[in-house]
Amino acid sequence: MEYETVIGLEIHAQLLTRSKIFCGCSTKFGEEPNTQVCPVCIGMPGVLPVLNKRAVDFAIKTALATKCAVNEYSIFARKNYFYPDLPKNYQISQYELPLAIKGNIEIVVDGNVKKVGITRIHMEEDAGKNLHEGIEDASHVDLNRTGVPLMEIVSEPDMRTPEEAVAYLKKLRDILRYLGVCDGNMEEGSFRCDANVSIRPVGQKELGTKAELKNMNSFKFVQKALEYEIDRQKELLEDGKRIIQETRLWDSNKGVTISMRSKEEAHDYRYFPEPDLVPLVINKDWIGEIRNGLPELPDAKRARFVKEYGLPEYDAELLTSTIAMADYFEGCVKLYNQPKAVSNWIMGDLIRELNENNIDIADSPVSPQKLTDMLKLMDKGIISGKIAKVVFEEMFKTSKDAEAIVQEKGLVQVTDESEIEKVIDEIIKANPDQLAEYRSGKDKLFGFFVGQVMKESKGKANPAKVNELLKKKLQ
Amino acid sequence: MKITKKEVEHVALLARLKFSEEEKETFVKQLSGILGYVEKLNEVDTSNIEPTSHVIKMQNVFRDDVVTDSLPREKALSNAPDKTEKFFRVPKIIE
């Protein structure tokens, strides 16, 4: 039987505020355990939570960027459950009246554009962290993360393949990064993804029984976990078995999803309105203010790069993957109006060096000024494209100007005809067999001679001149 | 409204409370009585009244995103029944 996969994603994004959502404790990651806690976030009796205004601003930003309708009136609710990382025994979240509803994000998979609906966006507080490894007969609890502001973004079950799910995730992460509301780090857990997956026979309207997948902390794992789960469900149905609604954990070591039976029991959270917090009312002025402050978003920027700079879609997509990269590109183009040449250097040598050295493009040792100065040296014929690669590497290592490197290393291109002729003569003399073959009609050997001359001149000979002179000499 | 023994047991489980059979019977009676009393509210016609989540006429109480001092760790841990120098210590959690 042919099956169709149905995937919906729930994202938890940590908001980049300085302080927690309901108290003034710092949200800084990686600090000493239990040093960023106070009576409010560790649930002492008699304290009152007070909502962080910036967290609300960030959630509104996200809602607008994902075309959601911001609810004028929203309230907070208590979600009640017991777990050691939850000191109050309830999580302050939003339930019946979330901050925003009904938006969408556009994704592109295999050249096809698709809209993925967003059901809702709500605000809530994060829980603490339980540690188990290397501890005998006990677990340890660190409450630094307790009360860090989170945004939960719930999609419609609109995705049909793991590829679509990953495209949605990436697009959402890019948007959050553009907005500056979340750093989008899946490994560190500031951008977490749970997936609801089910399959149904093609043509069937009703959804199949779903499994909820957790613990996928990279895009690759999301892809793999979904692929595994879809296969698992197909096999079950084909064997005439039933799919059980349950939570399953992705085990990246074994490459499988595992049932998490402990969580199945009593999914009864007894939500009720949080009496310690007053309603949140977001009027049109507030929304307007946030809307005016929105940056150009990835889709708009990509489209503009194609239109304004005449770049291929592929280049535009890559160059707009982060604001920093796009800014770098536009910084270069302002200084040197050859968008495609700039794009090639960024996508090739620059990104390779940055990745190899684990440096962010905003901190690149080769600034837009330095890169474009080098490109201008090429245009003037002072260095060849081949030498430029050497100069670039040196610039990356030393942060020196291209011109200084060219001088220091004597890399100026040789255009003087007599000097090039001298090299050509030597090469011809040293390769009599190849010369004979070439003259007897083996045209392919022309490339061999060019290569030899360039090698002999250590890449400094002007390639156009070499071609021109070689043609004459070889006749 | 009549509360059943099963419901008492369910709520007790969710609240991690353990009761004797006798206590359960007591709560069946008491909870049913409380709910029956509150049910009186249903006699009021509320069809034209917006539901409310809060009785105080107040909205949008915010704080600025400013970091303030946290508790010294020693103090934060001081009420815990079990702890190490850095952590709260709880019975092993089996995932």
Side-chain angles (χ1 to χ4, degrees), chain A residues 187-408:
Chain A
E187 283 79 12
E188 276 178 13
S190 52
F191 184 79
R192 295 168 226 154
C193 168
D194 299 337
N196 289 313
V197 198
S198 63
I199 59 170
R200 61 182 171 194
V202 170
Q204 182 182 304
K205 278 247 159 62
E206 309 84 64
L207 293 170
T209 307
K210 68 179 178 185
E212 188 183 358
L213 303 188
K214 286 180 180 288
N215 201 35
M216 305 167 289
N217 61 353
S218 73
F219 292 120
K220 201 178 81 192
F221 290 156
V222 170
Q223 171 94 25
K224 286 194 164 168
L226 287 171
E227 282 170 0
Y228 176 87
E229 183 59 22
I230 293 162
D231 283 347
R232 188 187 72 88
Q233 294 189 8
K234 276 183 192 161
E235 265 172 45
L236 279 176
L237 291 188
E238 239 129 61
D239 292 350
K241 289 179 187 148
R242 226 163 46 84
I243 291 160
I244 309 161
Q245 180 160 343
E246 60 180 352
T247 301
R248 299 181 69 85
L249 278 189
W250 167 247
D251 182 333
S252 56
N253 291 322
K254 297 195 184 101
V256 297
T257 63
I258 302 159
S259 175
M260 207 178 146
R261 289 201 182 79
S262 59
K263 277 239 166 167
E264 261 178 70
E265 174 208 345
H267 257 306
D268 184 347
Y269 293 125
R270 293 150 294 150
Y271 283 97
F272 63 86
E274 164 61 277
D276 288 344
L277 288 165
V278 296
L280 176 58
V281 178
I282 301 167
N283 61 21
K284 289 207 172 77
D285 288 351
W286 191 354
I287 294 173
E289 202 181 298
I290 301 276
R291 198 186 290 282
N292 288 338
L294 284 181
E296 185 183 28
L297 292 166
D299 285 347
K301 210 186 262 292
R302 197 188 62 232
R304 182 169 64 81
F305 274 28
V306 170
K307 206 170 154 230
E308 196 174 320
Y309 301 118
L311 292 174
E313 272 289 335
Y314 177 84
D315 295 42
E317 175 86 37
L318 206 140
L319 292 173
T320 56
S321 58
T322 64
I323 285 194
M325 176 107 64
D327 285 352
Y328 188 97
F329 169 78
E330 294 205 284
C332 291
V333 173
K334 256 189 212 126
L335 298 164
Y336 176 76
N337 194 19
Q338 299 282 345
K340 182 60 183 152
V342 169
S343 168
N344 288 346
W345 275 91
I346 293 176
M347 296 193 309
D349 294 64
L350 181 63
I351 287 184
R352 194 188 60 242
E353 290 283 350
L354 289 172
N355 288 345
E356 269 172 23
N357 295 284
N358 214 359
I359 298 172
D360 197 86
I361 192 159
D363 309 320
S364 169
V366 179
S367 62
Q369 180 77 53
K370 290 197 164 80
L371 177 64
T372 51
D373 281 351
M374 185 192 80
L375 296 177
K376 286 175 192 166
L377 288 182
M378 276 172 70
D379 282 358
K380 284 182 200 151
I382 295 171
I383 55 172
S384 65
K386 207 168 167 191
I387 291 293
K389 301 237 167 214
V390 179
V391 174
F392 182 85
E393 246 176 65
E394 196 61 22
M395 278 205 295
F396 199 92
K397 255 187 247 157
T398 62
S399 284
K400 283 183 185 160
D401 291 341
E403 202 153 351
I405 292 166
V406 169
Q407 294 300 335
E408 243 171 60

Side-chain angles (χ1 to χ4, degrees), chain B residues 31-47:
Chain B
L31 290 175
S32 298
I34 292 166
L35 286 175
Y37 180 68
V38 174
E39 225 161 48
K40 256 195 155 349
L41 288 173
N42 287 341
E43 291 167 21
V44 185
D45 178 13
T46 55
S47 51

